[in-house]
Amino acid sequence: MELILPFLLVVFASFFQGTFGLGMKFIKPLAWEAWWLVHAFIAMILFPMTWAFIAVPDLFSVIFSTDGAILFKAMLFGFLWGIGGILFGKSVGKVGVSLTYGIVMGLASAVGSIVPLFQIENASSQPAFPFILLGVIIIVIGVVIVAYAGIRRDKLNNADTGIPTGKAFQMGLLIAILSGVLSALLNVGFANAGPVAEAAVDAGSKTNNSSLAAWVVVLWGAFLMNALYAISLLIKNKSFHTYKGAFGTKAFRWSVLAGLFWFAALGIYGQGAALMGSIGPVIGWPMLLGLSLIISNIWAYREGEWKNVKVPFRIMLAGLTTIIIACIVLGYSNGLN
């Protein structure tokens, strides 16, 4: 059970990670930036800090007893992740949703796993090392297959995608690649905030709950970037007025619910990763992203997005099967430590 529980937590977390995006279908009458500011505050400040206050004794004492350089680095990684999210949106208009999602998810899975792996002392000498690399490679292949299926589906559903060609397309690819690398830094920040989690354990926190203290620090940086961007758009677009009458609407409820789902994914994933030990962020992160891709496509199927596209649907199933195989390989690697 000690080996199974961490993976069950990651699987559970992937449900929330793959579901929170449904809320973005219900933005109006709010402007996007108005919706996002509420979402980010719930997801990155209110929910994580409330959960951490309940689960971690003397939360602020734990955080500020940690070396300032460690706190700054963790927050910086969170801030840079926020830039990656902004670039994601810029890339979609240039290369399309499916290709952007494939590039970003693939790179975020790989970089977010490999960087913490090589930060572990003597990582390459660990018996799990080759299996971790193999699992990450397979999961990236699976994401690429799913992205290709999405591109095929989009072509069948709409011949005129409006996606530019030539240099504009090439620039979109570069933006998507940069977004993917930066999007991985959320997990890198979490791994580097390990000393905060260790201090939480020393203060009496349970091992699985200690990860919440680490997330609080990383998400301070993440919220700063997201809030600055959203507020700048609110000022630029003069869209503060969209808040009027929006409270109590479906849009506002979904901005809150999506925020709860978003951090539920990270919080539960963090608990599973903490139970895996130092290797947790290495194995758990690509599993979280891979499994959440499966969940999101289940929702997409229910919404009819794969209707009347048999060949792309079969390709998508092949990609999801590849991701499942990768998760099995990563799970096996954890048992070798």
Side-chain angles (χ1 to χ4, degrees):
M1 188 63 183
E2 291 182 0
L3 290 175
I4 296 175
L5 180 58
F7 294 102
L8 291 177
L9 288 171
V10 173
V11 171
F12 189 35
S14 69
F15 168 80
F16 291 107
Q17 181 70 17
T19 301
F20 89 91
L22 290 175
M24 300 196 72
K25 295 183 177 182
F26 306 98
I27 291 180
K28 294 183 179 180
L30 288 169
W32 177 88
E33 55 270 23
W35 189 97
W36 190 257
L37 184 60
V38 175
H39 165 76
F41 177 72
I42 298 295
M44 302 172 198
I45 298 295
L46 185 61
F47 187 19
M49 288 191 63
T50 300
W51 191 355
F53 267 124
I54 294 171
V56 179
D58 300 319
L59 176 64
F60 281 133
S61 297
V62 165
I63 291 173
F64 293 114
S65 67
T66 308
D67 190 308
I70 292 172
L71 299 179
F72 176 78
K73 184 187 293 186
M75 290 177 64
L76 177 61
F77 282 130
F79 187 90
L80 293 174
W81 165 81
I83 296 176
I86 294 169
L87 293 178
F88 179 92
K90 300 295 183 183
S91 177
V92 166
K94 296 182 181 296
V95 301
V97 175
S98 296
L99 184 55
T100 298
Y101 206 72
I103 292 171
V104 172
M105 286 284 285
L107 284 173
S109 298
V111 176
S113 175
I114 298 301
V115 172
L117 174 62
F118 282 98
Q119 288 181 326
I120 298 174
E121 189 175 354
N122 299 320
S124 60
S125 63
Q126 300 295 321
F129 182 78
F131 292 96
I132 293 173
L133 291 183
L134 178 61
V136 171
I137 291 170
I138 295 173
I139 214 163
V140 170
I141 291 172
V143 170
V144 170
I145 293 172
V146 173
Y148 175 68
I151 294 169
R152 290 281 300 270
R153 177 198 62 193
D154 294 343
K155 286 183 177 179
L156 287 175
N157 287 337
N158 183 10
D160 182 15
T161 60
I163 296 173
T165 58
K167 290 186 178 180
F169 183 80
Q170 294 172 6
M171 179 59 67
L173 286 178
L174 290 175
I175 293 173
I177 290 170
L178 182 57
S179 173
V181 173
L182 292 176
S183 295
L185 298 185
L186 190 67
N187 191 55
V188 176
F190 173 64
N192 280 269
V196 180
E198 293 170 6
V201 172
D202 292 339
S205 172
K206 294 181 179 179
T207 301
N208 58 317
N209 288 332
S210 65
S211 61
L212 296 169
W215 276 128
V216 165
V217 176
V218 177
L219 293 179
W220 280 344
F223 177 73
L224 177 61
M225 179 65 241
N226 280 270
L228 287 173
Y229 182 63
I231 292 171
S232 69
L233 289 180
L234 284 166
I235 295 171
K236 177 183 176 182
N237 299 330
K238 299 179 180 179
S239 49
F240 282 101
H241 71 276
T242 63
Y243 281 121
K244 186 177 181 180
F247 297 96
T249 64
K250 182 180 287 188
F252 189 82
R253 288 196 298 271
W254 264 107
S255 67
V256 173
L257 187 60
L260 294 174
F261 276 23
W262 187 84
F263 185 70
L266 290 186
I268 296 169
Y269 151 70
Q271 291 192 324
L275 293 175
M276 294 180 198
S278 61
I279 207 75
V282 175
I283 296 173
W285 180 253
M287 289 181 66
L288 173 70
L289 296 188
L291 292 172
S292 67
L293 187 57
I294 294 175
I295 298 297
S296 64
N297 273 284
I298 291 174
W299 287 118
Y301 178 80
R302 287 175 58 88
E303 292 290 316
E305 294 182 17
W306 293 98
K307 188 177 181 180
N308 299 325
V309 285
K310 291 183 178 180
V311 174
F313 181 68
R314 289 170 184 166
I315 296 172
M316 188 269 292
L317 289 180
L320 299 186
T321 301
T322 304
I323 290 171
I324 291 172
I325 292 171
C327 290
I328 292 172
V329 173
L330 290 169
Y332 174 76
S333 70
N334 186 60
L336 298 175
N337 288 292

